[in-house]
Amino acid sequence: MKVKTVFSCQNCGCQSPKWLGKCPDCGSWNSMTEEASAPRQAAPSGERSKPIPICDVPAQSETRIASDLGELDRVLGGGIVPGSLVLIGGDPGIGKSTLLLQAMHNLAASAGQVLYVSGEESASQTRLRGERLGASHKRLLILAENSLEAIIAHATALKPTVMVIDSIQTVWTSALESAPGSVSQVRESAGKLMLLAKGLDIPVFIVGHVTKDGAIAGPRVLEHIVDTVLYFEGDGSHPFRILRAVKNRFGSTNEIGVFEMKREGLIGVENPSELFLSERPLGAPGSVVTASLEGSRPLLVELQALVTKTSYPVPRRTTIGVDHNRLALLVAVLEKKVGLHLAGLDIFLNAAGGVRLNEPAADLAMIMAVASSHLDRIIPPQTVVLGEVGLTGEVRAITQPEQRIAEAEKLGFQSCIIPAGNLRRLTKSKIRLEGVASVDEAMQLLMQ
């Protein structure tokens, strides 16, 4: 019997009956690989597939399992939801396996039996890592297995409280003839794990590798199947790690968890604002503090700017942690509306601590950092700067200013520059609030 084959893109999962040099969906070159195609059988119809009115669906109370890792529970929306499928991605060596092994140890001690499937390490290697992290509970079961059918059989027999697959790229199913790690194997394995999680009401964590482009391998395949997608971010040479929710059916998609990597493992950081500002230089031009809102958590972040003469025909605009196009827009506002001449200067902007700022509430702080470095003027170190900047130089109101101001109060800041539109709607505060309606007003106030 001749086996029918298809060509699948290893980046996005697009399939073609013949080989193509360039994927028509994602545009990647030389990513089409020949794989065996297995026909699917139609699922039997039953009572479960009948449509019913939404008001007749039986209600269930939401129960969550606490992992005793406060930062992980925060990102998940308050704990682990039974029957959920959670994908954790990140660069190699960032701490994905360390985080999950610590969480599984806590769950084994408090919730019941836990199954940790290790496809990349042997059981003895996993035990060595567990002893270093203090994860050695008797109810934490280690299974060194790559066959999906064997994993499902063990999980069905044990019915653990939580299960971990580390990693999904090493798991293969005998229903397909393609190699482990291919898009068809990843898709089929993730789909069957989803059915297992929903059928047995077991939360399943799966680890996904990250490609050279910074995306989880097979992103369109995995992210559409799972309930929650978490990205583990950070620099291997930096002690801080940020766990960010990209997709979450059971909570906010903007929450972050902050961890510090130590010898005994990952330790949750309860007050990340204080940690990010601990090494801030006082009295240095180009340094400004702003408050970014990540989900329900306000973070005080230092923005550092450096403006210097260029030795190149085209001046450079380099950013770390902020949007490059946003900086170009704000520099244009400074030149047009304030009158600063920045066309022939290199401008470098950095969000200290490895934080990424994606919201427009940091616009005014970015402008003040660039102007402070260019004019060699010091921004008062006990001042927090907030506000969105428009193309005409106006300072627009921001969301939830109360939480940002409360975080500044907690860390001992004395004043806060906020949009005038927010100041009219705020009650009295312990720190001094100054409202500005334009970039010119902020310049006059801070550059005295």
Side-chain angles (χ1 to χ4, degrees):
M1 179 179 178
K2 186 178 179 180
V3 179
K4 182 180 178 181
T5 61
V6 295
F7 290 87
S8 300
C9 175
Q10 299 305 301
N11 291 330
C12 68
C14 175
Q15 293 184 342
S16 171
K18 62 179 182 179
W19 183 84
L20 299 173
K22 181 180 180 181
C23 175
D25 276 8
C26 65
S28 58
W29 289 89
N30 299 323
S31 61
M32 306 295 288
T33 304
E34 187 176 13
E35 299 176 352
S37 176
R40 289 186 174 273
Q41 299 179 354
S45 58
E47 297 293 331
R48 183 179 178 182
S49 62
K50 290 184 179 180
I52 59 175
I54 188 172
C55 55
D56 294 340
V57 176
Q60 295 182 354
S61 59
E62 185 183 57
T63 58
R64 293 180 181 264
I65 306 172
S67 67
D68 292 335
L69 288 178
E71 297 298 304
L72 176 61
D73 292 338
R74 170 196 288 272
V75 177
L76 291 173
I80 304 170
V81 177
S84 61
L85 186 63
V86 182
L87 170 65
I88 298 184
D91 295 330
I94 201 68
K96 304 182 295 296
S97 300
T98 299
L99 175 67
L100 288 176
L101 196 57
Q102 289 182 239
M104 294 307 108
H105 169 74
N106 295 340
L107 288 167
S110 61
Q113 197 167 240
V114 172
L115 180 61
Y116 189 100
V117 180
S118 178
E120 298 181 345
E121 298 177 338
S122 64
S124 59
Q125 291 173 333
T126 306
R127 178 185 175 178
L128 288 176
R129 183 156 49 88
E131 290 178 349
R132 177 176 59 86
L133 301 174
S136 57
H137 200 277
K138 291 185 178 180
R139 289 189 294 190
L140 174 57
L141 307 181
I142 304 299
L143 174 65
E145 183 61 67
N146 299 103
S147 172
L148 180 65
E149 286 75 16
I151 293 172
I152 293 177
H154 283 292
T156 304
L158 294 173
K159 293 183 180 179
T161 304
V162 186
M163 185 171 72
V164 173
I165 307 294
D166 187 9
S167 68
I168 188 65
Q169 274 82 11
T170 63
V171 177
W172 57 273
T173 173
S174 59
L176 300 175
E177 297 183 2
S178 55
S182 61
V183 170
S184 57
Q185 286 281 2
V186 169
R187 177 176 54 235
E188 189 71 17
S189 300
K192 290 185 177 181
L193 288 172
M194 180 192 65
L195 295 177
L196 174 70
K198 307 301 180 185
L200 299 181
D201 206 28
I202 299 174
V204 178
F205 287 84
I206 58 178
V207 176
H209 292 308
V210 169
T211 64
K212 294 180 180 179
D213 298 330
I216 296 178
R220 299 183 185 178
V221 176
L222 291 176
E223 293 185 2
H224 288 181
I225 293 176
V226 302
D227 297 313
T228 304
V229 179
L230 306 180
Y231 275 97
F232 218 25
E233 305 170 354
D235 187 359
S237 60
H238 203 278
F240 306 122
R241 305 287 189 269
I242 295 178
L243 185 65
R244 188 182 303 271
V246 178
K247 171 187 176 182
N248 193 357
R249 289 175 178 160
F250 312 111
S252 173
T253 56
N254 295 320
E255 291 289 354
I256 68 168
V258 183
F259 296 89
E260 184 177 4
M261 178 65 80
K262 296 184 178 180
R263 181 178 179 83
E264 60 271 20
L266 289 165
I267 307 299
V269 179
E270 297 181 358
N271 192 353
S273 297
E274 185 177 1
L275 193 64
F276 292 146
L277 300 178
S278 60
E279 299 179 358
R280 179 170 65 105
L282 300 179
S287 175
V288 179
V289 176
T290 188
S292 174
L293 203 63
E294 298 286 350
S296 61
R297 164 181 281 181
L299 291 178
L300 294 187
V301 181
E302 179 195 5
L303 287 173
Q304 295 180 336
L306 179 62
V307 181
T308 182
K309 292 182 179 180
T310 183
S311 58
Y312 298 93
V314 179
R316 290 173 293 178
R317 302 288 188 264
T318 305
T319 62
I320 301 177
V322 296
D323 185 22
H324 178 272
N325 295 324
R326 196 72 182 176
L327 174 63
L329 182 149
L330 296 175
V331 169
V333 172
L334 268 176
E335 291 182 334
K336 182 71 174 180
K337 300 301 178 182
V338 181
L340 297 184
H341 301 288
L342 303 170
L345 301 173
D346 287 337
I347 300 177
F348 306 93
L349 189 64
N350 173 42
V355 183
R356 289 192 309 170
L357 298 181
N358 299 319
E359 60 170 350
D363 287 352
L364 188 58
M366 293 168 62
I367 279 187
M368 291 298 106
V370 173
S372 171
S373 178
H374 176 60
L375 300 175
D376 202 24
R377 301 281 185 86
I378 298 174
I379 302 292
Q382 296 302 321
T383 300
V384 177
V385 181
L386 304 171
E388 178 184 356
V389 176
L391 291 179
T392 60
E394 82 278 9
V395 177
R396 296 173 174 268
I398 60 175
T399 60
Q400 303 183 28
E402 298 88 354
Q403 296 186 26
R404 306 173 198 261
I405 295 172
E407 184 72 9
E409 289 180 1
K410 186 169 65 175
L411 292 185
F413 284 84
Q414 299 175 0
S415 63
C416 183
I417 306 299
I418 62 173
N422 288 123
L423 183 61
R424 292 191 293 266
R425 296 189 292 268
L426 288 175
T427 58
K428 292 183 179 180
S429 176
K430 295 180 181 179
I431 65 176
R432 187 175 69 257
L433 302 179
E434 299 282 353
V436 293
S438 65
V439 175
D440 278 330
E441 291 186 24
M443 291 282 294
Q444 294 176 8
L445 190 62
L446 294 174
M447 301 293 179
Q448 293 179 357

